[in-house]
Each structure stands twice: as structure tokens, then as C-alpha cells.
Amino acid sequence: MISHHFIAFTFFHHPVAQLVIILLALMIAIVLCIVMLYFNKRVLRPIQSFSDTLARWNEESAALDFKNSKIIELEQASQQFKHLIGQIRRFKIDMYEQELEKQRIQLDYMKLQINPHFFLNCLTSMYSMAQMQMYGEIERMAMSTTQYFRYIFQNGHNFVRLQDEIEHVRIYLDIQRHRYRNAFAYHISQDAETGDIRIPPLVLQTFIENAVKYAVSRVTEANITLSVSRVMPDDLAKITISDSGPGFPPDILEQLMHGGPLNAENGNRIGIMNTIQRLELLYKGQASVSFSNREGGGAEVTMTIPVSPPEAID
């Protein structure tokens, strides 16, 4: 009797049997390749594409393209994620518009804080001049007051030329010199080619008003200084406003230096808080304001802002 081992040995060594085995192995390999290609095309590629799209979703400029997938679950996830991204973007746009509206409200509120009080003071000064028959002074005061309020009421932009803002400050200081009978002197200096730098309107006005309010007295002549310089190579503008008054009270200076909220009772210091918030909002954290007391006496405020304002908000 022929053993099973002999038959198997004879079969595997027969040329026809070997050819059959090779063909079967080749067919199996082809089938496996086809299955792998199909699996890669129908499953792996859609999953990889979906994963890559998820990795780019937080890039503002990236176009999120979810390709259609034959996998029902993946297609449903893609549609839900598209909807979620749309909601997030609409929410970001709404928040952005709310911040802009908040900035406009703050600016309008600051204008309301300035106008009535200052306007009444100007009228009172002109009335006093009329009683003393100072007609030339009345003419200059009336013209300066007109220019001052025209600048405020006609200015509805987020940014203005620094030169225009400085001229507005100069008019304000001239008006106050008329009111206080030359109880203070002021000096304005700026580097060349800084006039076209664009800054938020009434930013300088806030700190100049603060200097006049707390530094000027009838006892001694005060000095107020405004200087503008370029900081290279960072392409920044440095604006310094200083006075020869008593300086910031220690508690107020401590709060200003550490960014703490100021007590705004009776409307005091609203302008400073509004200005800091406006700079933070408009420059998105790229602007800074520092406060200090000078060694020789007096307060000093230093603003550092980018020379080029954000184009998206301008």
C-alpha cells in the first residue's frame, strides 16, 4: 500500500500541481491587493481627509472642504461638523460686532462726559471777558471753542492723523490758558514724519485734561509737556504726557500700574478707563499705557502704539 506521505510528496513535486499552487497564490495576492486598494479608497482616504480637515479648522484662512464620503457615519459627522463650524464663525462675527459697538458706545459716552462741562466753562469764561470788555480775547476764545467742538462732532472714525489730534490738543490748551489766565505753560514736541501716524481720536485729550485738572493751580505756574517719538526698529510711536503737578495719588497709581479697576464715582476717571479699554480693543493688545510719578514732581503717562493701526478695524 502506498502511504499518504508518498502521495502528498508526489503531488507537490508534480509540475502541474506546482503550477496550480503558484496560480492560487498569485490569485490570492491579487485579491488581497484589490481589497486593500478598495479599503484604502473607500475607508482610509475619507478618514484621513476628514482628520486633516479637522486639524485645519481653527485656521482663519483655511477653506474647510469636507468631501462626500460613502461611509454614512462619516458623512453624518462631516455635516454636523460643518454646521458646528458655521455656528462658531457666526458667533465670532457677532462677538466682533458687539466689541465694535461697545467701542463706539464708549467713545460717544466719553464725548458726552467732555462736552457739557467744558462747554459751560467756555461760556462762563467768555462772559467774564465780556464784563471786562476783553473783546479781542472773546473773539479768540470763541474761534478756538468752535474749532474744538467741530473736531469732536465731525470725527466719527476709529483712527485720525496724529497731527490733527495734536492740533486739537493745542486748541484745548489755548482755551484753558485763557480760562486760567496763563496759570500754566505747555510745550509740544514731535519727531519728524510722525504727523501722519494714525491714532484713536481723543486719546491724547483724555490725559491732557487730566494734567490740566490736577496740575494747574493759581499758586504756581504749571508746565505740561507732550512729546512724540518713533521707536525703531519696532516701528512704534511713543507718546509721553507729563506735568509738574502733585502727581498721581499713591493708591490711584498702584491701581493704574497693576491694571486694577478705578473708582469712577461722580464720573471721575471715566476717561482714563475708557481710553485704556479703547486702546486694548482697537490694537488687540499691541498698545500699552504706563503711569508713573516723576522724581522732580508731577505725573507722567507714556503710550506705546504701533505706527500702523489694524487695517481690519480702521
Side-chain angles (χ1 to χ4, degrees):
M1 177 179 289
I2 301 174
S3 67
H4 295 289
H5 294 289
F6 178 78
I7 295 174
F9 177 81
T10 303
F11 176 79
F12 283 110
H13 284 77
H14 194 278
V16 176
Q18 291 178 347
L19 180 60
V20 170
I21 293 173
I22 293 174
L23 291 176
L24 287 175
L26 184 61
M27 291 178 61
I28 293 173
I30 292 173
V31 170
L32 288 176
C33 289
I34 293 174
V35 171
M36 291 299 297
L37 290 174
Y38 180 85
F39 183 77
N40 181 65
K41 180 179 180 181
R42 297 294 183 178
V43 179
L44 294 182
R45 286 185 182 178
I47 292 177
Q48 183 63 43
S49 177
F50 183 77
S51 176
D52 292 341
T53 304
L54 290 181
R56 300 195 312 268
W57 80 274
N58 61 337
E59 299 179 9
E60 296 293 340
S61 59
L64 300 182
D65 181 19
F66 290 98
K67 298 180 180 179
N68 294 332
S69 173
K70 300 299 183 181
I71 305 175
I72 297 178
E73 292 79 3
L74 191 60
E75 180 68 20
Q76 291 176 346
S78 299
Q79 295 300 324
Q80 292 176 355
F81 196 75
K82 281 183 181 179
H83 180 68
L84 177 61
I85 290 176
Q87 288 183 323
I88 292 175
R89 285 180 172 173
R90 285 193 296 271
F91 177 74
K92 291 174 68 176
I93 292 173
D94 291 341
M95 290 294 295
Y96 177 79
E97 292 178 347
Q98 289 177 7
E99 288 296 330
L100 288 181
E101 183 62 23
K102 177 182 176 182
Q103 181 268 333
R104 294 189 187 99
I105 292 173
Q106 290 173 343
L107 178 57
D108 292 339
Y109 182 59
M110 186 175 67
K111 290 180 181 179
L112 291 176
Q113 290 293 321
I114 295 172
N115 296 343
H117 178 72
F118 184 70
F119 182 64
L120 292 176
N121 285 339
C122 291
L123 291 179
T124 301
S125 297
M126 284 188 282
Y127 176 77
S128 300
M129 293 176 186
Q131 286 184 321
M132 293 183 289
Q133 300 181 354
M134 301 171 61
Y135 302 121
E137 293 290 334
I138 293 174
E139 290 179 1
R140 287 190 290 271
M141 184 76 166
M143 181 56 67
S144 297
T145 304
T146 301
Q147 294 173 339
Y148 175 87
F149 284 105
R150 181 182 291 117
Y151 180 84
I152 290 180
F153 291 133
Q154 291 183 355
N155 188 359
H157 304 288
N158 286 324
F159 295 94
V160 297
R161 291 177 66 248
L162 177 59
Q163 192 62 48
D164 295 335
E165 185 75 1
I166 290 177
E167 184 60 28
H168 176 69
V169 166
R170 193 189 306 276
I171 292 172
Y172 169 80
L173 290 172
D174 287 338
I175 292 174
Q176 294 291 39
R177 276 171 56 83
H178 288 307
R179 288 188 57 231
Y180 286 99
R181 299 293 188 270
N182 299 324
F184 70 93
Y186 70 86
H187 177 70
I188 298 176
S189 63
Q190 60 183 121
D191 288 350
E193 300 181 357
T194 59
D196 289 331
I197 294 175
R198 293 168 62 77
I199 67 171
L202 305 181
V203 168
L204 304 184
Q205 176 74 23
T206 299
F207 299 111
I208 290 292
E209 279 191 351
N210 192 73
V212 172
K213 181 177 181 180
Y214 293 103
V216 176
S217 67
R218 304 290 184 181
V219 180
T220 58
E221 183 184 53
N223 289 286
I224 298 175
T225 301
L226 166 63
S227 64
V228 181
S229 59
R230 291 285 292 268
V231 180
M232 302 299 289
D234 298 328
D235 205 20
L236 300 173
K238 180 180 179 182
I239 303 173
T240 303
I241 299 172
S242 60
D243 61 65
S244 59
F248 294 107
D251 57 333
I252 299 299
L253 182 59
E254 181 73 16
Q255 291 175 306
L256 290 171
M257 292 176 64
H258 293 86
L262 296 178
N263 181 10
E265 294 182 357
N266 301 321
N268 293 329
R269 306 186 185 94
I270 289 178
I272 293 178
M273 292 186 294
N274 281 348
T275 299
I276 294 174
Q277 292 172 359
R278 287 173 59 215
L279 290 173
E280 178 70 22
L281 178 63
L282 289 173
Y283 288 99
K284 301 177 181 179
Q286 297 181 11
S288 64
V289 184
S290 62
F291 303 86
S292 63
N293 283 333
R294 305 168 63 192
E295 293 184 1
E300 184 170 278
V301 179
T302 301
M303 287 178 287
T304 304
I305 61 175
V307 169
S308 301
E311 295 181 359
I313 302 179
D314 189 13

